[in-house]
Amino acid sequence: MATLGTHNGKKSRKRAAGGLRLDLPVHGKSTSDLEHSEATMSELGEKSNSVAEGLALSDTKAAPSTPAHPPTSPGGLHMREPFFLKLHSLPENDSDEEKVRREGTVSNPLSAPQYTQSSSLPSTDFKRQDTWFYIQESHRQRVESESEGVPPVTTSTEKTPLLPGKTESKTESFKRHDSDNGPDDCFAAWWENMAKCCSAYTCKVADDTKSKLNTFKVVLISVALVFICVIFTVAPASDVHLSQFAVSADYGVSINLTSESLTPVLQVTVRGPFLNEAAAESPSWQNCTFYVRRLHANGSMQTVSDKWALAMRDEADIAGMITDELSLSHNFDIALDQSDSATYQLVVESSASYLASMLMSYANVMKPESVQVVYAAIILVGVYVLIIFELVHRTLAAMVGALASIAVLAYMRQRPTLATVMLWLDFETLGLLFGMMLIVAIFMETGFFDFVAVEAFKRAKGQVWPLITTLCIFAAVFSAFLDNVTTILLLVPVTIRLCETLNLDPKHVLIAEVIFSNIGGTATAIGDPPNVIIVSNAELTKKGVNFITFTMHMFIGSVIACVVAYGHLRLMYRRRRYLQFKDPPEIVEIEHEINIWRRTRESLVYGTRDAERIRLILKTKAAELEQLKVEKLAEMQKSIVVEEDFQTKLANLQEEYHIQNKSLLIKSCAVLGTVILLFFLEPLEALHLSLGWIAIMGSIVLLVLADKEEIESVIHKVEWTTLIFFAALFVLMKGMEKLGLLNFIGQQTADIITGVEGESRRLLVAIVLILWVSALASSFIDNIPFTTAMVSIIVQLADDPKVGVPIAPMVWALAFGACFGGNGTLIGASCNVVCAGLSEQRGYRLSFGEYFKVGFPMMIVSVTVAMVYLLVCHLVIGWNGPYL
């Protein structure tokens, strides 16, 4: 009797719907179960009706008159995958059924033996069994012929002439069919091939769509770039005029403006012994007033612009003063009358009793400041669209944005010269990066970073979180006393080697290090560039903000933020698999090696015969690795991966990674130690050295001591892409400043604070608003120029008697916001960009989205902690002064 499986009927039907193996129940089941089995068989058989009608059945024989007895040996009818039917062994004493199994024919399909319901076997249509079998055999023969490269041949013994196959006897086909158990199954193979065909078609369509979108992207960006270049080319040169003079209460100055080039907006920048604009409203200070007037032909005069008043210092305070002179800018909206041939003058008047010398520059501007701010915002949004969606590399996006900002300035008749643009670059930061990159490049040749990684792995006993915790603490502590860029330059090589050892994705650990480096750098006045700007400001220094008071207030909040951020980090990566690679270590290593080969091939110089030969070799090597990757994946699917224990892995690592050049290691440690020591001593007035000069001198000394014959190998390891990105970013941010975007953000913040009634409420709004505006702005624009702009706004608010807000809480809010806000995006802080560049150089590209998913929530958490800390200190405790 042919038996079927014994699984529960409901579960079997549910699994069949999902494409899993199905065993239909028979023994001991009710009639409804048997009817369901027949219905399932019927549904499967009906799917081949159109094919069955075209089949030619031969070798007909007489059917038995009585049904055969059920077999005593176990057999069954199984369905695996939704469209799969397989015949199992039938009893030898049923001759006709044996012929069906061995020859695939029946004498008359309509009179084939039928089992009764009492035999516990549902009735099946042997015509359908015969049909399904030949579909399977023909498909298998076609697949084998295609795999062997043999053209399919239709034989005379085929029952399905529409489906070609190889020439062989039916008995051999039946024997092979009995011996195979799945891979040659008709509908499993058909379903798999159909899925492959659909996948290939989808991939082809996706590739075609991607190619078209890429072409559209290139065309669109190219058109925009050509438009920018045309504007920059045809825009006239800037007509900036310089004038130096002295004014007093008895002596004013009037400067005639050129009528032909006069525009509705006049931009004036003046440098002299001034206080901020808010102090001009106080009657205790002497003022200097600027405005534009029109002289008619009949001698009458008319003021055609607003009046700009600046408070002037006392005569006793400006004796020998040069560095404390303040530079301020203002845009005058002029009511021009084109029909009148009048003369326009820029008038400077003073109420001071002494002659005050000042330097003034003025230029005609095409559009008012509000329009310039809109243009600046459009450029900034465009740059972030290019970076966020990775339409181009972030360095190219910054270069396009820098060129666009210069083109808009040229259109506004503020076109800077090339010498002026070079002055916009922060050579201090660029020199620091260049020097430290050279030192680290030589240091890596000693094998020191690999050795440190193995030792850390040994001491942590292969545990993940102890290592990550140690790296985060190291990043935070060193960034508090050493600049965070240098800290990241030293940590990245060790981190990547450790992560490769533990089969962790280095990008996640590097993001954590960057976040804690920015938080730790907030604790002291030298840890982050915004802190240096705040402490070095002369006005803030006079109000009691110095290194000690800054560190005293910021250290406590930074420690609390570090603790909370660490808890949030553990929550985000609460499972180790979140930190690991998605693929096995062998596959990750192969992919990493392929990436390295491709980067090396693309970095070769074009045009030389040797380079082309090497490029071809590298291309072949990458292709071989791709094939090896496919083979490894197929092999791993069939095998069980046994992970090495800690001792075995440690022994292998110690054997592979060790100090390679002890002499060079001693020289490198001596130079690096001296450089770091000078970094700590840099604030001393006795040393007339900056961080950039220290790094450059150290790199030159180490190059000499290393005695490198081919210096190109070291120079090539410098991350030039990162340096160019910083240079373009400096130009872009200076363009945003010139267009008034940063001042607009600061002024809007000041207006909101001024409009709040009540001193305590105003202090609350000032802390929260400055903190969050600084954090969000620093996430998307460089925090250095933004901090510079906000410092002057804070000083104005503190000096305004109508506001009445102490300056210390606003300074701490600005520092927390500018430093913590750098964690928000990939380009929010300098160390973020440096880390991304070094990671990409080693084959692990850190995208904007990958960083944003971790960094932005962490920024929200840390800024929230800082806000609570500031509110408790300044509203609950009342710690509003710079001192205790």
Side-chain angles (χ1 to χ4, degrees):
M1 179 180 67
T3 61
L4 300 178
T6 60
H7 294 294
N8 181 271
K10 294 183 179 180
K11 184 178 295 186
S12 300
R13 293 194 294 272
K14 184 175 181 181
R15 291 180 178 177
L20 302 175
R21 183 180 180 91
L22 176 65
D23 295 330
L24 298 177
V26 173
H27 291 296
K29 299 300 177 181
S30 62
T31 306
S32 60
D33 288 330
L34 297 178
E35 291 174 354
H36 171 72
S37 300
E38 294 179 2
T40 304
M41 294 292 300
S42 178
E43 289 178 7
L44 293 172
E46 288 173 0
K47 296 183 181 295
S48 65
N49 284 342
S50 59
V51 181
E53 292 175 0
L55 295 176
L57 301 177
S58 59
D59 298 332
T60 59
K61 297 182 181 180
S65 58
T66 58
H69 295 286
T72 56
S73 61
L77 190 63
H78 296 277
M79 185 180 74
R80 186 167 55 190
E81 301 296 333
F83 305 113
F84 166 54
L85 183 64
K86 182 174 181 179
L87 293 173
H88 285 265
S89 300
L90 293 176
E92 296 182 358
N93 57 353
D94 287 333
S95 59
D96 284 345
E97 296 179 47
E98 176 68 9
K99 292 178 181 179
V100 171
R101 188 181 69 82
R102 296 189 177 277
E103 299 180 5
T105 61
V106 292
S107 56
N108 185 357
L110 299 179
S111 60
Q114 302 291 325
Y115 292 114
T116 62
Q117 180 173 332
S118 60
S119 64
S120 299
L121 180 67
S123 60
T124 57
D125 191 346
F126 280 89
K127 176 181 177 180
R128 290 175 178 170
Q129 294 177 1
D130 194 54
T131 300
W132 288 110
F133 172 73
Y134 276 104
I135 294 175
Q136 173 196 359
E137 278 298 299
S138 299
H139 177 79
R140 181 190 58 74
Q141 293 170 3
R142 182 172 70 252
V143 171
E144 287 185 358
S145 63
E146 290 175 355
S147 62
E148 295 175 3
V150 180
V153 179
T154 304
T155 64
S156 57
T157 59
E158 284 249 354
K159 292 269 187 119
T160 54
L162 297 178
L163 301 176
K166 289 174 60 179
T167 303
E168 62 178 357
S169 66
K170 286 185 285 185
T171 305
E172 293 176 349
S173 298
F174 278 104
K175 290 180 179 179
R176 181 184 293 110
H177 171 65
D178 272 347
S179 62
D180 294 341
N181 191 23
D184 289 334
D185 176 81
C186 164
F187 294 100
W190 174 84
W191 184 260
E192 181 180 356
N193 287 341
M194 180 61 70
K196 289 182 179 179
C197 292
C198 294
S199 177
Y201 177 76
T202 305
C203 293
K204 183 178 180 181
V205 173
D207 291 341
D208 294 341
T209 305
K210 184 177 180 181
S211 177
K212 293 179 181 178
L213 290 176
N214 185 68
T215 303
F216 176 74
K217 175 200 72 174
V218 173
V219 171
L220 184 62
I221 297 177
S222 300
V223 170
L225 196 58
V226 169
F227 178 71
I228 292 172
C229 294
V230 170
I231 292 178
F232 181 74
T233 303
V234 301
S238 177
D239 56 346
V240 178
H241 303 276
L242 296 176
S243 179
Q244 187 172 10
F245 51 85
V247 294
S248 67
D250 301 326
Y251 182 76
V253 175
S254 300
I255 302 173
N256 291 333
L257 303 176
T258 305
S259 301
E260 293 78 9
S261 60
L262 191 62
T263 61
V265 181
L266 182 68
Q267 186 178 66
V268 177
T269 302
V270 62
R271 182 180 180 86
F274 302 112
L275 297 172
N276 55 72
E277 298 181 42
E281 300 180 4
S282 176
S284 61
W285 295 102
Q286 303 174 88
N287 294 338
C288 182
T289 306
F290 301 79
Y291 63 93
V292 178
R293 70 185 177 188
R294 181 166 53 211
L295 297 178
H296 297 279
N298 57 7
S300 61
M301 296 180 295
Q302 180 185 4
T303 302
V304 294
S305 72
D306 58 312
K307 291 189 176 183
W308 181 36
L310 297 176
M312 301 182 65
R313 298 176 182 271
D314 293 333
E315 185 177 5
D317 296 336
I318 64 173
M321 183 186 67
I322 297 178
T323 57
D324 288 344
E325 289 186 343
L326 190 62
S327 180
L328 300 171
S329 298
H330 184 73
N331 288 349
F332 292 96
D333 294 330
I334 305 174
L336 294 178
D337 188 359
Q338 302 295 340
S339 61
D340 186 10
S341 59
T343 302
Y344 293 85
Q345 293 181 335
L346 176 60
V347 181
V348 183
E349 298 176 347
S350 175
S351 62
S353 59
Y354 63 94
L355 278 174
S357 176
M358 58 191 68
L359 177 65
M360 184 178 67
S361 65
Y362 58 94
N364 298 299
V365 182
M366 288 293 296
K367 300 292 183 181
E369 187 175 1
S370 58
V371 178
Q372 298 182 40
V373 170
V374 173
Y375 288 157
I378 292 174
I379 293 173
L380 193 63
V381 170
V383 170
Y384 267 91
V385 167
L386 295 177
I387 295 176
I388 291 174
F389 295 100
E390 297 185 355
L391 300 178
V392 296
H393 194 275
R394 58 178 176 273
T395 302
L396 182 57
M399 294 170 66
V400 172
L403 181 59
S405 62
I406 295 176
V408 172
L409 287 173
Y411 173 70
M412 296 293 177
R413 292 191 178 182
Q414 304 179 57
R415 178 173 183 167
T417 62
L418 185 58
T420 302
V421 174
M422 295 299 294
L423 293 176
W424 293 353
L425 303 181
D426 188 354
F427 287 102
E428 190 71 32
T429 302
L430 296 177
L432 172 65
L433 290 173
F434 176 74
M436 291 305 300
M437 285 179 180
L438 283 177
I439 294 175
V440 172
I442 298 175
F443 210 169
M444 287 186 63
E445 297 181 2
T446 64
F448 176 77
F449 294 116
D450 296 338
F451 174 77
V452 170
V454 174
E455 288 299 316
F457 176 78
K458 176 182 178 181
R459 298 187 180 277
K461 301 186 183 301
Q463 300 297 317
V464 173
W465 275 109
L467 285 175
I468 297 178
T469 304
T470 303
L471 291 173
C472 291
I473 293 175
F474 183 89
V477 173
F478 268 70
S479 296
F481 303 99
L482 190 67
D483 67 288
N484 47 18
V485 172
T486 304
T487 303
I488 291 299
L489 282 169
L490 297 175
L491 274 179
V492 167
V494 178
T495 302
I496 291 179
R497 179 56 64 194
L498 272 173
C499 292
E500 291 174 346
T501 302
L502 296 171
N503 189 32
L504 302 178
D505 191 346
K507 293 182 286 188
H508 299 296
V509 184
L510 291 176
I511 292 173
E513 290 176 357
V514 166
I515 290 172
F516 280 88
S517 178
N518 287 324
I519 295 177
T522 313
T524 63
I526 61 174
D528 224 3
N531 301 356
V532 178
I533 294 174
I534 292 173
V535 174
S536 60
N537 184 270
E539 293 293 331
L540 295 179
T541 302
K542 292 179 180 179
K543 297 180 183 299
V545 178
N546 52 38
F547 182 91
I548 297 177
T549 57
F550 187 94
T551 305
M552 185 188 307
H553 285 77
M554 300 295 294
F555 183 81
I556 301 174
S558 299
V559 171
I560 298 174
C562 280
V563 174
V564 177
Y566 180 78
H568 182 68
L569 185 71
R570 290 296 299 263
L571 180 63
M572 294 181 67
Y573 295 111
R574 55 189 176 275
R575 299 185 184 276
R576 178 170 177 173
R577 67 172 182 269
Y578 297 157
L579 295 167
Q580 291 179 325
F581 289 106
K582 296 180 180 179
D583 296 323
E586 294 83 355
I587 302 301
V588 173
E589 185 67 24
I590 294 175
E591 291 177 346
H592 181 65
E593 189 174 351
I594 292 172
N595 192 13
I596 295 298
W597 286 121
R598 287 175 177 172
R599 287 175 56 88
T600 306
R601 177 166 56 89
E602 294 172 358
S603 64
L604 293 176
V605 180
Y606 283 87
T608 61
R609 184 176 59 183
D610 294 338
E612 294 298 330
R613 186 184 301 112
I614 296 174
R615 186 175 288 106
L616 180 60
I617 294 174
L618 295 177
K619 183 178 180 181
T620 305
K621 179 65 177 177
E624 293 175 353
L625 290 174
E626 288 283 2
Q627 182 62 30
L628 178 61
K629 172 185 171 183
V630 175
E631 295 175 357
K632 281 282 186 182
L633 285 173
E635 181 181 346
M636 289 179 179
Q637 291 177 355
K638 301 178 181 179
S639 60
I640 300 177
V641 179
V642 179
E643 192 172 341
E644 291 180 322
D645 60 356
F646 169 71
Q647 295 297 335
T648 304
K649 184 181 291 187
L650 178 61
N652 294 335
L653 291 175
Q654 290 177 337
E655 182 180 357
E656 183 177 1
Y657 303 113
H658 50 80
I659 301 297
Q660 301 175 2
N661 192 333
K662 293 184 178 180
S663 174
L664 183 59
L665 175 62
I666 296 174
K667 298 175 184 178
S668 301
C669 288
V671 173
L672 183 60
T674 305
V675 168
I676 293 177
L677 178 62
L678 291 176
F679 282 165
F680 282 106
L681 300 178
E682 186 266 342
L684 298 179
E685 296 181 358
L687 295 178
H688 302 286
L689 291 174
S690 62
L691 298 180
W693 275 117
I694 294 173
I696 290 175
M697 289 191 301
S699 63
I700 295 175
V701 171
L702 186 56
L703 281 172
V704 174
L705 294 177
D707 193 20
K708 303 288 292 185
E709 295 182 0
E710 295 183 359
I711 196 174
E712 291 85 359
S713 60
V714 179
I715 299 296
H716 182 71
K717 295 177 182 177
V718 174
E719 185 59 34
W720 294 105
T721 304
T722 302
L723 296 179
I724 296 174
F725 173 80
F726 274 109
L729 187 64
F730 292 145
V731 176
L732 173 62
M733 290 298 108
K734 194 66 176 181
M736 299 295 101
E737 181 182 353
K738 291 290 184 181
L739 291 173
L741 179 61
L742 303 183
N743 288 330
F744 173 79
I745 297 174
Q747 195 60 49
Q748 293 299 315
T749 304
D751 292 343
I752 295 175
I753 295 173
T754 306
V756 177
E757 297 181 357
E759 185 174 342
S760 60
R761 292 181 58 189
R762 194 177 297 120
L763 177 60
L764 171 64
V765 173
I767 292 175
V768 174
L769 192 62
I770 292 176
L771 177 66
W772 284 102
V773 169
S774 301
L776 295 176
S778 298
S779 295
F780 297 96
I781 60 178
D782 191 8
N783 52 15
I784 296 177
F786 177 78
T787 303
T788 304
M790 285 298 298
V791 164
S792 61
I793 298 295
I794 289 176
V795 172
Q796 292 181 22
L797 289 173
D799 290 342
D800 191 349
K802 296 180 181 179
V803 177
V805 176
I807 193 170
M810 294 189 290
V811 171
W812 316 144
L814 173 62
F816 276 122
C819 296
F820 288 178
N823 286 327
T825 63
L826 185 61
I827 63 176
S830 301
C831 65
N832 305 15
V833 181
V834 172
C835 179
L838 296 176
S839 176
E840 184 175 356
Q841 189 183 44
R842 287 157 178 80
Y844 301 99
R845 184 174 183 180
L846 180 59
S847 66
F848 186 95
E850 288 175 326
Y851 183 92
F852 187 83
K853 288 188 295 185
V854 180
F856 196 81
M858 192 70 75
M859 183 271 289
I860 298 295
V861 171
S862 58
V863 174
T864 302
V865 172
M867 181 183 67
V868 174
Y869 167 74
L870 291 175
L871 293 179
V872 170
C873 289
H874 300 288
L875 288 179
V876 178
I877 301 177
W879 189 15
N880 296 331
Y883 303 99
L884 287 173

